[in-house]
Structures are given as C-alpha cells and as structure tokens.
Amino acid sequence: MRLNEEAERYLLPAKGYGSFCPDDYDVKLAEIMGDWRQMDTVDLGIVGVPFDTSVMYRPGCRFGPESIRNSLVFANIYEPSLDFDLKGLKISDFGNIDVIFTDVLETHKRAEIVITEIIKQGVTPLILGGDHGLTYPHVKSLMNNVNGNVGVIMFDAHLDVRKNHHGMISSGTPFRRLMEEPERNALQPKNLVEIGINGWLASKYYGDYCKEQGITIIPAREVHKRGIEDVVEQALEIAGDGTEAIWISVDIDCLDSAYAPGTCAPNPGGLTSYHLLEAIWTIGQHPLCRGMDLLEVSPPWDVQNLTSLTAASLCMQFIGATKKRIYG
C-alpha cells in the first residue's frame, strides 16, 4: 500500500511495539501487525498526532500517543469475556503526523491530508492524540470521503462548542467548527450526540446553544441512571439517521478521575471504564462506523500509568469491534 506523496511526507515512524512476558501460547498485538508499506490492504491503521498546543488546561497530551503505544505492550489478541480474537485482521501503525507545535492550523491541515488519504485507501483509522481540537481535521477527513452526511458520537465531560478563546482555536472548539466551517457535508447538529457531559465546566450560554441547535446531550448522571446499553442504542439511532458514516470521538476526561487521572481536566463523577469499553465495543461494530480518535491522555499528570493503560484497553476494544464489523 502507498499513500500519495504529500500524505507520506507528513508521516514520521512510530516506535515499535514490544511484548511483555512471552508465552508460547499467547499471541501479542505486535505479532499480527504489519508494515503498511509492504501490505496490499490494511483494515485498521493506528495514527498518532502528538499535539497539544490548543489544549486549554494542563498540557501534556502531546505525549499521549507514545504512552498509549507503550501500554499496548500487555495486549494479547484474545478477550475471554467476549470470546473473540483478532487473528486475520490486517492492522498496521502508520506512525505519527509531523506536527508543527507553533501552528495549530498547519497541524490541522497536515492531519486532514494524511487521514483523508488513509480513509480513501479503505482503512479504518484509530487516531491517538493529542488534544480534542484535533477532532476537527479527523472528522473533516471522513467528510472528504463520503458524499452525504457524517454522524458523530462524542464522549467528553465538556460540550466543546465554544466560539473561541481570545480569538484562537482551542481544544474546546472542534464541534462548532465542524458544524460551521466545512464547505461541504458540514456536521448536522441533529447527528451529533455528546455522552458523559459532567461537572461545573461549562456555561448556560453554550448549553442553550446546544439545545437550540438540536444537539443531543446525554450527561454522565443520565448514563449512570439509565445504563450504557440504552444510551448507546439511542446514540446510534441519532448519529445514523440519514448519514453515510459514523465517527467515535473519545476525550478521556469523560471518565471519572478515578479511572483517568492523567488528563487535561480530571472529572469526578464521570463515566466508568466499563461504560466506555461497552460503548466502543457496540458502536465500533455498527455498519456505519468508520473511525475513532482517542484524545487528551496526558502522561505528565498520570498516576502509575493508569490513564494510558485504560486508553490502551479502549484501543483494543475498538480494534476488536472493527474486526467484528468487517469479518463478523
């Protein structure tokens, strides 16, 4: 497989995956991963975007992609509770996008060029960030590859529909940008579902904006009371209503701070890791699901690497769900 010249120019190699405590009867994720340049086709491609210039508070998530990859050292390809393994999945790591830390828009442009080309090749991307502002170029890349509308299911403690911060693009602006800026296939508010919103972290102005636009907000309190299965069923119905593809966007701060202390804005009262693992397993299998980004893992603020380990588990859940979607 080859990408176009411009996309390949913006890719840097990532460190290889190791394996922990070898066992003759285990198969590690690293053992089934190939080099995309030597593969005819790739089902799922990992891409890192080590960029946190637009983060609003507690920077450090530029180190997230490497830390998540390091935490995948424990990953085997079989999950007993699901009775499912990854054998047969064509998976590769495309490396990291060559970001420009002093230029948000240039970095977003590079991300859009690379991810657009990867999706064009039929690859389902799993993108490791990086701050949540990156979701703009990620979803825009999917929009570039479909004729119709795209639905988004976002897991986050925050609404991320801010106008700006001192006139600048930030990690709090991606979804307003997706609804207002694209020249074609702009995100329709009726196809955006935000799950896990929680805490004294927003303003009534932005809450009212979401209501006026018709965005579906499902707070963490509601998830705890209703159960994640019912919430995901509703989210898929909304995100899939008249759309050609669905994107999953995960800001790790949607999780309670007990599960994800290493993030830019820790969130007491958020979702549990069980909630998010179950949600990704279900959404990732949906016929319209075409990619996921996993953002705001900030290793400098982490405790015993817990957040990166949780993120690695979420990656494996999406990888497994993608194989089930493609191969059954």
Side-chain angles (χ1 to χ4, degrees), residues 143-220:
M143 292 172 173
N144 294 341
N145 277 281
V146 299
N147 294 319
N149 292 327
V150 168
V152 175
I153 301 176
M154 181 263 268
F155 295 87
D156 199 334
H158 313 88
L159 298 171
D160 284 1
V161 293
R162 295 180 183 273
K163 285 187 175 180
N164 58 60
H165 281 86
H166 295 293
M168 302 296 290
I169 291 168
S170 78
S171 59
T173 61
F175 295 99
R176 182 184 286 264
R177 292 183 69 204
L178 284 165
M179 291 183 286
E180 295 180 354
E181 293 185 12
E183 297 177 1
R184 57 182 294 275
N185 299 353
L187 176 62
Q188 300 301 304
K190 71 182 184 70
N191 296 128
L192 172 58
V193 185
E194 301 194 346
I195 301 173
I197 307 303
N198 181 62
W200 300 87
L201 304 169
S203 68
K204 188 174 186 301
Y205 175 86
Y206 290 118
D208 289 344
Y209 169 84
C210 290
K211 293 174 184 175
E212 291 163 4
Q213 294 296 313
I215 298 167
T216 300
I217 306 296
I218 306 177

Side-chain angles (χ1 to χ4, degrees), residues 275-323:
H275 288 143
L276 196 49
L277 287 163
E278 284 296 299
I280 289 173
W281 177 246
T282 302
I283 300 168
Q285 294 179 55
H286 193 278
L288 295 182
C289 188
R290 289 297 178 271
M292 182 175 96
D293 55 23
L294 178 53
L295 308 162
E296 307 261 355
V297 174
S298 188
W301 299 97
D302 209 356
V303 178
Q304 301 295 324
N305 208 40
L306 290 174
T307 311
S308 293
L309 289 166
T310 298
S313 293
L314 297 169
C315 288
M316 293 302 297
Q317 204 82 340
F318 181 72
I319 294 169
T322 300
K323 190 208 169 184

Side-chain angles (χ1 to χ4, degrees), residues 32-269:
I32 67 165
M33 295 184 72
D35 183 338
W36 59 274
R37 294 175 180 85
Q38 300 174 9
M39 300 167 70
D40 293 331
T41 60
V42 176
D43 296 319
L44 183 140
I46 296 171
V47 184
V49 193
F51 183 79
D52 62 1
T53 299
S54 66
V55 78
M56 293 163 51
Y57 181 58
R58 302 209 322 175
C61 53
R62 69 178 61 183
F63 305 109
E66 181 177 5
S67 186
I68 295 168
R69 286 181 173 110
N70 287 342
S71 297
L72 284 166
V73 70
F74 300 107
N76 290 344
I77 68 166
Y78 175 69
E79 215 284 17
S81 70
L82 302 171
D83 192 21
F84 191 78
D85 79 23
L86 302 178
K87 195 173 294 183
L89 184 71
K90 301 169 187 173
I91 180 170
S92 184
D93 192 321
F94 284 76
N96 290 333
I97 291 172
D98 186 12
V99 305
I100 304 295
F101 291 114
T102 54
D103 195 331
V104 174
L105 288 177
E106 174 62 21
T107 294
H108 285 193
K109 184 194 85 170
R110 293 181 176 203
E112 183 179 342
I113 288 169
V114 173
I115 304 304
T116 296
E117 178 67 9
I118 286 173
I119 295 173
K120 183 180 178 181
Q121 298 293 328
V123 181
T124 297
L126 170 56
I127 306 174
L128 311 179
D131 68 61
H132 211 169
L134 292 164
T135 293
Y136 175 80
H138 300 164
V139 174
K140 185 91 180 299
S141 301
L142 182 56
M143 292 172 173
N144 294 341
N145 277 281
V146 299
N147 294 319
N149 292 327
V150 168
V152 175
I153 301 176
M154 181 263 268
F155 295 87
D156 199 334
H158 313 88
L159 298 171
D160 284 1
V161 293
R162 295 180 183 273
K163 285 187 175 180
N164 58 60
H165 281 86
H166 295 293
M168 302 296 290
I169 291 168
S170 78
S171 59
T173 61
F175 295 99
R176 182 184 286 264
R177 292 183 69 204
L178 284 165
M179 291 183 286
E180 295 180 354
E181 293 185 12
E183 297 177 1
R184 57 182 294 275
N185 299 353
L187 176 62
Q188 300 301 304
K190 71 182 184 70
N191 296 128
L192 172 58
V193 185
E194 301 194 346
I195 301 173
I197 307 303
N198 181 62
W200 300 87
L201 304 169
S203 68
K204 188 174 186 301
Y205 175 86
Y206 290 118
D208 289 344
Y209 169 84
C210 290
K211 293 174 184 175
E212 291 163 4
Q213 294 296 313
I215 298 167
T216 300
I217 306 296
I218 306 177
R221 293 181 77 243
E222 186 174 339
V223 176
H224 286 294
K225 292 176 180 180
R226 283 175 58 188
I228 192 63
E229 292 83 1
D230 186 51
V231 166
V232 167
E233 183 179 354
Q234 178 191 359
L236 284 170
E237 183 176 343
I238 294 167
D241 182 16
T243 62
E244 290 189 17
I246 292 173
W247 185 269
I248 308 172
S249 184
V250 177
D251 185 326
I252 203 74
D253 72 22
C254 71
L255 294 177
D256 187 283
S257 50
Y259 304 96
T263 188
C264 307
N267 177 27

